Amino acid sequence: YFEELKKKFDQEVVFTANAPDIELYKSWYETLDAENAAQIYQQVIEKLSYSTQVKDWAETYSKMDAAAAAKILQEMTGDMELVSKILLNMTSTKRGAVLAQMDSVFAAKITKIMYPE
């Protein structure tokens, strides 16, 4: 799996027309010590895993009745960031249906988290 991920990264990031000069990558990698590189790698893997889990939860909630999904998501007041990420990973139609079933104040707060500007 990691070899495929590395190959994809190389093709889509490192060696694209818009990528920084290869010498910049070389100097950057030379400055990393093994411990720091391992920590960065671990953080990347954790973020990828978290993103996959959020997408899976968004798919699960998307398959539910909008009112039921809204009720459950509204109870997650301790993690509004997660609720917003789940909603953002739904289609706009399903997200709208779920938001419409939420308390208007809660829906407004979640919308502000999703679109802070």
Side-chain angles (χ1 to χ4, degrees):
Y1 170 77
F2 296 113
E3 278 301 313
E4 291 176 29
L5 189 61
K6 182 190 176 305
K7 185 177 180 180
K8 183 177 180 182
F9 178 80
D10 287 348
Q11 291 171 344
E12 296 178 5
V13 178
V14 178
F15 299 114
T16 64
N18 297 330
D21 183 72
I22 195 72
E23 286 298 319
L24 181 60
Y25 281 118
K26 180 179 179 287
S27 65
W28 185 75
Y29 285 120
E30 287 172 349
T31 63
L32 290 176
D33 63 77
E35 184 178 326
N36 190 30
Q39 288 175 352
I40 291 170
Y41 180 74
Q42 183 62 38
Q43 290 172 356
V44 168
I45 295 302
E46 287 172 5
K47 285 182 182 182
L48 286 172
S49 176
Y50 180 78
S51 294
T52 300
Q53 290 172 5
V54 169
K55 287 177 184 175
D56 289 347
W57 280 112
E59 183 179 341
T60 300
Y61 282 104
S62 291
K63 291 177 181 177
M64 296 172 68
D65 172 70
K71 184 176 181 180
I72 295 167
L73 291 170
Q74 210 165 263
E75 291 295 322
M76 295 172 60
T77 57
D79 199 344
M80 301 284 276
E81 280 292 322
L82 177 58
V83 172
S84 69
K85 287 176 183 175
I86 289 170
L87 287 168
L88 284 170
N89 278 280
M90 293 179 173
T91 65
S92 59
T93 302
K94 186 62 179 188
R95 180 172 52 248
V98 172
L99 286 167
Q101 294 295 319
M102 290 180 168
D103 171 76
S104 61
V105 173
F106 186 87
K109 287 179 182 178
I110 286 295
T111 301
K112 182 68 176 165
I113 291 170
M114 290 187 291
Y115 303 101
E117 294 179 7

mmCIF file of all heavy atoms in Angstrom, residues 40-72:
data_model
loop_
_atom_site.group_PDB
_atom_site.id
_atom_site.type_symbol
_atom_site.label_atom_id
_atom_site.label_comp_id
_atom_site.label_asym_id
_atom_site.label_seq_id
_atom_site.Cartn_x
_atom_site.Cartn_y
_atom_site.Cartn_z
ATOM 1 N N ILE A 40 6.626 13.136 11.026
ATOM 2 C CA ILE A 40 5.838 13.712 9.928
ATOM 3 C C ILE A 40 5.054 12.613 9.217
ATOM 4 O O ILE A 40 3.864 12.765 8.940
ATOM 5 C CB ILE A 40 6.750 14.472 8.940
ATOM 6 C CG1 ILE A 40 7.303 15.730 9.605
ATOM 7 C CG2 ILE A 40 5.996 14.820 7.658
ATOM 8 C CD1 ILE A 40 8.392 16.420 8.813
ATOM 9 N N TYR A 41 5.723 11.516 8.950
ATOM 10 C CA TYR A 41 5.073 10.391 8.282
ATOM 11 C C TYR A 41 3.908 9.870 9.108
ATOM 12 O O TYR A 41 2.817 9.634 8.584
ATOM 13 C CB TYR A 41 6.095 9.280 8.036
ATOM 14 C CG TYR A 41 5.503 8.076 7.360
ATOM 15 C CD1 TYR A 41 5.184 8.099 6.008
ATOM 16 C CD2 TYR A 41 5.239 6.917 8.077
ATOM 17 C CE1 TYR A 41 4.637 7.001 5.385
ATOM 18 C CE2 TYR A 41 4.685 5.818 7.468
ATOM 19 C CZ TYR A 41 4.388 5.855 6.118
ATOM 20 O OH TYR A 41 3.829 4.767 5.513
ATOM 21 N N GLN A 42 4.079 9.735 10.412
ATOM 22 C CA GLN A 42 3.019 9.250 11.293
ATOM 23 C C GLN A 42 1.822 10.194 11.279
ATOM 24 O O GLN A 42 0.673 9.759 11.238
ATOM 25 C CB GLN A 42 3.542 9.079 12.725
ATOM 26 C CG GLN A 42 2.529 8.507 13.680
ATOM 27 C CD GLN A 42 2.064 7.110 13.299
ATOM 28 O OE1 GLN A 42 2.849 6.300 12.830
ATOM 29 N NE2 GLN A 42 0.803 6.829 13.483
ATOM 30 N N GLN A 43 2.095 11.498 11.285
ATOM 31 C CA GLN A 43 1.016 12.474 11.234
ATOM 32 C C GLN A 43 0.245 12.376 9.919
ATOM 33 O O GLN A 43 -0.986 12.474 9.911
ATOM 34 C CB GLN A 43 1.568 13.893 11.406
ATOM 35 C CG GLN A 43 2.067 14.166 12.803
ATOM 36 C CD GLN A 43 2.780 15.505 12.904
ATOM 37 O OE1 GLN A 43 2.965 16.210 11.926
ATOM 38 N NE2 GLN A 43 3.191 15.850 14.114
ATOM 39 N N VAL A 44 0.941 12.180 8.821
ATOM 40 C CA VAL A 44 0.289 12.041 7.519
ATOM 41 C C VAL A 44 -0.610 10.813 7.511
ATOM 42 O O VAL A 44 -1.761 10.868 7.073
ATOM 43 C CB VAL A 44 1.337 11.969 6.386
ATOM 44 C CG1 VAL A 44 0.708 11.523 5.069
ATOM 45 C CG2 VAL A 44 2.035 13.305 6.228
ATOM 46 N N ILE A 45 -0.116 9.693 8.007
ATOM 47 C CA ILE A 45 -0.889 8.453 8.047
ATOM 48 C C ILE A 45 -2.132 8.626 8.920
ATOM 49 O O ILE A 45 -3.226 8.189 8.561
ATOM 50 C CB ILE A 45 -0.017 7.276 8.546
ATOM 51 C CG1 ILE A 45 1.112 6.986 7.555
ATOM 52 C CG2 ILE A 45 -0.862 6.032 8.787
ATOM 53 C CD1 ILE A 45 0.642 6.662 6.147
ATOM 54 N N GLU A 46 -1.984 9.281 10.068
ATOM 55 C CA GLU A 46 -3.129 9.511 10.959
ATOM 56 C C GLU A 46 -4.177 10.392 10.292
ATOM 57 O O GLU A 46 -5.375 10.135 10.400
ATOM 58 C CB GLU A 46 -2.662 10.136 12.276
ATOM 59 C CG GLU A 46 -1.935 9.162 13.173
ATOM 60 C CD GLU A 46 -1.307 9.821 14.390
ATOM 61 O OE1 GLU A 46 -1.507 11.033 14.604
ATOM 62 O OE2 GLU A 46 -0.597 9.111 15.124
ATOM 63 N N LYS A 47 -3.746 11.432 9.578
ATOM 64 C CA LYS A 47 -4.688 12.315 8.894
ATOM 65 C C LYS A 47 -5.411 11.585 7.770
ATOM 66 O O LYS A 47 -6.607 11.772 7.568
ATOM 67 C CB LYS A 47 -3.977 13.556 8.363
ATOM 68 C CG LYS A 47 -3.630 14.538 9.449
ATOM 69 C CD LYS A 47 -2.975 15.785 8.914
ATOM 70 C CE LYS A 47 -2.622 16.703 10.072
ATOM 71 N NZ LYS A 47 -2.029 17.948 9.638
ATOM 72 N N LEU A 48 -4.683 10.746 7.036
ATOM 73 C CA LEU A 48 -5.323 9.960 5.982
ATOM 74 C C LEU A 48 -6.359 9.009 6.566
ATOM 75 O O LEU A 48 -7.456 8.868 6.034
ATOM 76 C CB LEU A 48 -4.282 9.168 5.184
ATOM 77 C CG LEU A 48 -3.415 9.957 4.223
ATOM 78 C CD1 LEU A 48 -2.309 9.074 3.658
ATOM 79 C CD2 LEU A 48 -4.256 10.544 3.105
ATOM 80 N N SER A 49 -6.028 8.373 7.671
ATOM 81 C CA SER A 49 -6.954 7.456 8.324
ATOM 82 C C SER A 49 -8.183 8.203 8.815
ATOM 83 O O SER A 49 -9.316 7.753 8.635
ATOM 84 C CB SER A 49 -6.256 6.751 9.488
ATOM 85 O OG SER A 49 -7.164 5.943 10.185
ATOM 86 N N TYR A 50 -7.974 9.364 9.429
ATOM 87 C CA TYR A 50 -9.086 10.179 9.930
ATOM 88 C C TYR A 50 -9.988 10.606 8.776
ATOM 89 O O TYR A 50 -11.210 10.518 8.881
ATOM 90 C CB TYR A 50 -8.536 11.396 10.673
ATOM 91 C CG TYR A 50 -9.611 12.305 11.229
ATOM 92 C CD1 TYR A 50 -10.275 11.958 12.405
ATOM 93 C CD2 TYR A 50 -9.952 13.493 10.592
ATOM 94 C CE1 TYR A 50 -11.262 12.786 12.932
ATOM 95 C CE2 TYR A 50 -10.932 14.321 11.123
ATOM 96 C CZ TYR A 50 -11.582 13.962 12.280
ATOM 97 O OH TYR A 50 -12.554 14.777 12.788
ATOM 98 N N SER A 51 -9.397 11.040 7.672
ATOM 99 C CA SER A 51 -10.181 11.470 6.504
ATOM 100 C C SER A 51 -11.026 10.326 5.961
ATOM 101 O O SER A 51 -12.185 10.528 5.602
ATOM 102 C CB SER A 51 -9.256 11.987 5.401
ATOM 103 O OG SER A 51 -8.619 13.157 5.809
ATOM 104 N N THR A 52 -10.462 9.137 5.918
ATOM 105 C CA THR A 52 -11.197 7.964 5.443
ATOM 106 C C THR A 52 -12.356 7.654 6.378
ATOM 107 O O THR A 52 -13.463 7.357 5.927
ATOM 108 C CB THR A 52 -10.258 6.749 5.329
ATOM 109 O OG1 THR A 52 -9.213 7.070 4.403
ATOM 110 C CG2 THR A 52 -11.000 5.522 4.838
ATOM 111 N N GLN A 53 -12.123 7.753 7.681
ATOM 112 C CA GLN A 53 -13.184 7.483 8.652
ATOM 113 C C GLN A 53 -14.312 8.503 8.534
ATOM 114 O O GLN A 53 -15.487 8.148 8.590
ATOM 115 C CB GLN A 53 -12.610 7.497 10.069
ATOM 116 C CG GLN A 53 -11.707 6.330 10.372
ATOM 117 C CD GLN A 53 -11.003 6.480 11.712
ATOM 118 O OE1 GLN A 53 -11.253 7.412 12.462
ATOM 119 N NE2 GLN A 53 -10.100 5.558 12.004
ATOM 120 N N VAL A 54 -13.964 9.769 8.340
ATOM 121 C CA VAL A 54 -14.980 10.812 8.187
ATOM 122 C C VAL A 54 -15.820 10.537 6.942
ATOM 123 O O VAL A 54 -17.053 10.646 6.975
ATOM 124 C CB VAL A 54 -14.337 12.218 8.130
ATOM 125 C CG1 VAL A 54 -15.350 13.267 7.693
ATOM 126 C CG2 VAL A 54 -13.750 12.589 9.482
ATOM 127 N N LYS A 55 -15.174 10.171 5.846
ATOM 128 C CA LYS A 55 -15.913 9.862 4.616
ATOM 129 C C LYS A 55 -16.838 8.666 4.817
ATOM 130 O O LYS A 55 -17.965 8.665 4.330
ATOM 131 C CB LYS A 55 -14.936 9.601 3.469
ATOM 132 C CG LYS A 55 -14.267 10.858 2.984
ATOM 133 C CD LYS A 55 -13.256 10.577 1.904
ATOM 134 C CE LYS A 55 -12.544 11.866 1.525
ATOM 135 N NZ LYS A 55 -11.477 11.674 0.578
ATOM 136 N N ASP A 56 -16.355 7.668 5.543
ATOM 137 C CA ASP A 56 -17.199 6.498 5.830
ATOM 138 C C ASP A 56 -18.418 6.894 6.660
ATOM 139 O O ASP A 56 -19.531 6.445 6.408
ATOM 140 C CB ASP A 56 -16.399 5.416 6.560
ATOM 141 C CG ASP A 56 -15.385 4.719 5.671
ATOM 142 O OD1 ASP A 56 -15.456 4.876 4.433
ATOM 143 O OD2 ASP A 56 -14.504 4.030 6.219
ATOM 144 N N TRP A 57 -18.205 7.740 7.684
ATOM 145 C CA TRP A 57 -19.332 8.198 8.506
ATOM 146 C C TRP A 57 -20.291 9.049 7.696
ATOM 147 O O TRP A 57 -21.511 8.943 7.853
ATOM 148 C CB TRP A 57 -18.843 8.960 9.736
ATOM 149 C CG TRP A 57 -18.402 8.028 10.831
ATOM 150 C CD1 TRP A 57 -17.137 7.848 11.289
ATOM 151 C CD2 TRP A 57 -19.231 7.127 11.569
ATOM 152 N NE1 TRP A 57 -17.129 6.888 12.271
ATOM 153 C CE2 TRP A 57 -18.407 6.434 12.466
ATOM 154 C CE3 TRP A 57 -20.590 6.837 11.555
ATOM 155 C CZ2 TRP A 57 -18.893 5.471 13.343
ATOM 156 C CZ3 TRP A 57 -21.072 5.877 12.439
ATOM 157 C CH2 TRP A 57 -20.234 5.214 13.312
ATOM 158 N N ALA A 58 -19.764 9.883 6.812
ATOM 159 C CA ALA A 58 -20.629 10.709 5.960
ATOM 160 C C ALA A 58 -21.498 9.824 5.075
ATOM 161 O O ALA A 58 -22.694 10.083 4.905
ATOM 162 C CB ALA A 58 -19.787 11.650 5.105
ATOM 163 N N GLU A 59 -20.921 8.766 4.554
ATOM 164 C CA GLU A 59 -21.693 7.834 3.732
ATOM 165 C C GLU A 59 -22.777 7.153 4.568
ATOM 166 O O GLU A 59 -23.922 7.010 4.124
ATOM 167 C CB GLU A 59 -20.773 6.784 3.110
ATOM 168 C CG GLU A 59 -21.484 5.841 2.185
ATOM 169 C CD GLU A 59 -20.552 4.815 1.547
ATOM 170 O OE1 GLU A 59 -19.327 5.035 1.524
ATOM 171 O OE2 GLU A 59 -21.063 3.786 1.075
ATOM 172 N N THR A 60 -22.430 6.764 5.778
ATOM 173 C CA THR A 60 -23.395 6.128 6.670
ATOM 174 C C THR A 60 -24.563 7.058 6.971
ATOM 175 O O THR A 60 -25.731 6.680 6.849
ATOM 176 C CB THR A 60 -22.720 5.704 7.993
ATOM 177 O OG1 THR A 60 -21.676 4.768 7.686
ATOM 178 C CG2 THR A 60 -23.713 5.071 8.944
ATOM 179 N N TYR A 61 -24.252 8.293 7.361
ATOM 180 C CA TYR A 61 -25.313 9.257 7.671
ATOM 181 C C TYR A 61 -26.123 9.631 6.427
ATOM 182 O O TYR A 61 -27.316 9.900 6.519
ATOM 183 C CB TYR A 61 -24.742 10.509 8.344
ATOM 184 C CG TYR A 61 -24.426 10.292 9.804
ATOM 185 C CD1 TYR A 61 -23.120 10.130 10.240
ATOM 186 C CD2 TYR A 61 -25.437 10.260 10.752
ATOM 187 C CE1 TYR A 61 -22.833 9.926 11.583
ATOM 188 C CE2 TYR A 61 -25.171 10.058 12.090
ATOM 189 C CZ TYR A 61 -23.862 9.892 12.502
ATOM 190 O OH TYR A 61 -23.583 9.690 13.841
ATOM 191 N N SER A 62 -25.487 9.617 5.275
ATOM 192 C CA SER A 62 -26.198 9.929 4.034
ATOM 193 C C SER A 62 -27.258 8.890 3.709
ATOM 194 O O SER A 62 -28.265 9.206 3.069
ATOM 195 C CB SER A 62 -25.211 10.020 2.864
ATOM 196 O OG SER A 62 -24.387 11.146 2.999
ATOM 197 N N LYS A 63 -27.041 7.684 4.141
ATOM 198 C CA LYS A 63 -27.993 6.603 3.868
ATOM 199 C C LYS A 63 -29.170 6.615 4.840
ATOM 200 O O LYS A 63 -30.165 5.945 4.612
ATOM 201 C CB LYS A 63 -27.277 5.257 3.926
ATOM 202 C CG LYS A 63 -26.296 5.064 2.783
ATOM 203 C CD LYS A 63 -25.556 3.759 2.894
ATOM 204 C CE LYS A 63 -24.563 3.607 1.754
ATOM 205 N NZ LYS A 63 -23.771 2.383 1.869
ATOM 206 N N MET A 64 -29.041 7.392 5.901
ATOM 207 C CA MET A 64 -30.102 7.466 6.905
ATOM 208 C C MET A 64 -31.167 8.464 6.483
ATOM 209 O O MET A 64 -30.931 9.335 5.645
ATOM 210 C CB MET A 64 -29.526 7.901 8.257
ATOM 211 C CG MET A 64 -28.540 6.933 8.861
ATOM 212 S SD MET A 64 -27.722 7.611 10.328
ATOM 213 C CE MET A 64 -29.090 7.684 11.465
ATOM 214 N N ASP A 65 -32.317 8.359 7.112
ATOM 215 C CA ASP A 65 -33.353 9.373 6.987
ATOM 216 C C ASP A 65 -32.760 10.689 7.499
ATOM 217 O O ASP A 65 -32.052 10.714 8.503
ATOM 218 C CB ASP A 65 -34.565 8.946 7.834
ATOM 219 C CG ASP A 65 -35.616 10.014 7.916
ATOM 220 O OD1 ASP A 65 -36.269 10.276 6.887
ATOM 221 O OD2 ASP A 65 -35.756 10.601 9.014
ATOM 222 N N ALA A 66 -33.043 11.795 6.805
ATOM 223 C CA ALA A 66 -32.457 13.092 7.159
ATOM 224 C C ALA A 66 -32.778 13.497 8.604
ATOM 225 O O ALA A 66 -31.911 14.013 9.317
ATOM 226 C CB ALA A 66 -32.925 14.170 6.190
ATOM 227 N N ALA A 67 -34.000 13.252 9.047
ATOM 228 C CA ALA A 67 -34.388 13.633 10.415
ATOM 229 C C ALA A 67 -33.601 12.824 11.446
ATOM 230 O O ALA A 67 -33.153 13.370 12.461
ATOM 231 C CB ALA A 67 -35.888 13.447 10.609
ATOM 232 N N ALA A 68 -33.416 11.542 11.180
ATOM 233 C CA ALA A 68 -32.666 10.696 12.117
ATOM 234 C C ALA A 68 -31.202 11.112 12.150
ATOM 235 O O ALA A 68 -30.597 11.208 13.229
ATOM 236 C CB ALA A 68 -32.802 9.229 11.723
ATOM 237 N N ALA A 69 -30.623 11.376 10.984
ATOM 238 C CA ALA A 69 -29.224 11.813 10.925
ATOM 239 C C ALA A 69 -29.054 13.142 11.658
ATOM 240 O O ALA A 69 -28.105 13.319 12.427
ATOM 241 C CB ALA A 69 -28.770 11.929 9.478
ATOM 242 N N ALA A 70 -29.973 14.066 11.429
ATOM 243 C CA ALA A 70 -29.907 15.377 12.076
ATOM 244 C C ALA A 70 -29.961 15.237 13.589
ATOM 245 O O ALA A 70 -29.199 15.890 14.311
ATOM 246 C CB ALA A 70 -31.048 16.264 11.582
ATOM 247 N N LYS A 71 -30.845 14.388 14.064
ATOM 248 C CA LYS A 71 -31.004 14.199 15.510
ATOM 249 C C LYS A 71 -29.707 13.691 16.134
ATOM 250 O O LYS A 71 -29.275 14.196 17.177
ATOM 251 C CB LYS A 71 -32.151 13.227 15.774
ATOM 252 C CG LYS A 71 -32.464 13.047 17.233
ATOM 253 C CD LYS A 71 -33.669 12.141 17.427
ATOM 254 C CE LYS A 71 -33.972 11.990 18.912
ATOM 255 N NZ LYS A 71 -35.123 11.128 19.144
ATOM 256 N N ILE A 72 -29.078 12.721 15.494
ATOM 257 C CA ILE A 72 -27.835 12.156 16.036
ATOM 258 C C ILE A 72 -26.708 13.183 15.968
ATOM 259 O O ILE A 72 -26.000 13.413 16.950
ATOM 260 C CB ILE A 72 -27.436 10.876 15.272
ATOM 261 C CG1 ILE A 72 -28.481 9.786 15.502
ATOM 262 C CG2 ILE A 72 -26.042 10.399 15.693
ATOM 263 C CD1 ILE A 72 -28.358 8.604 14.567
#
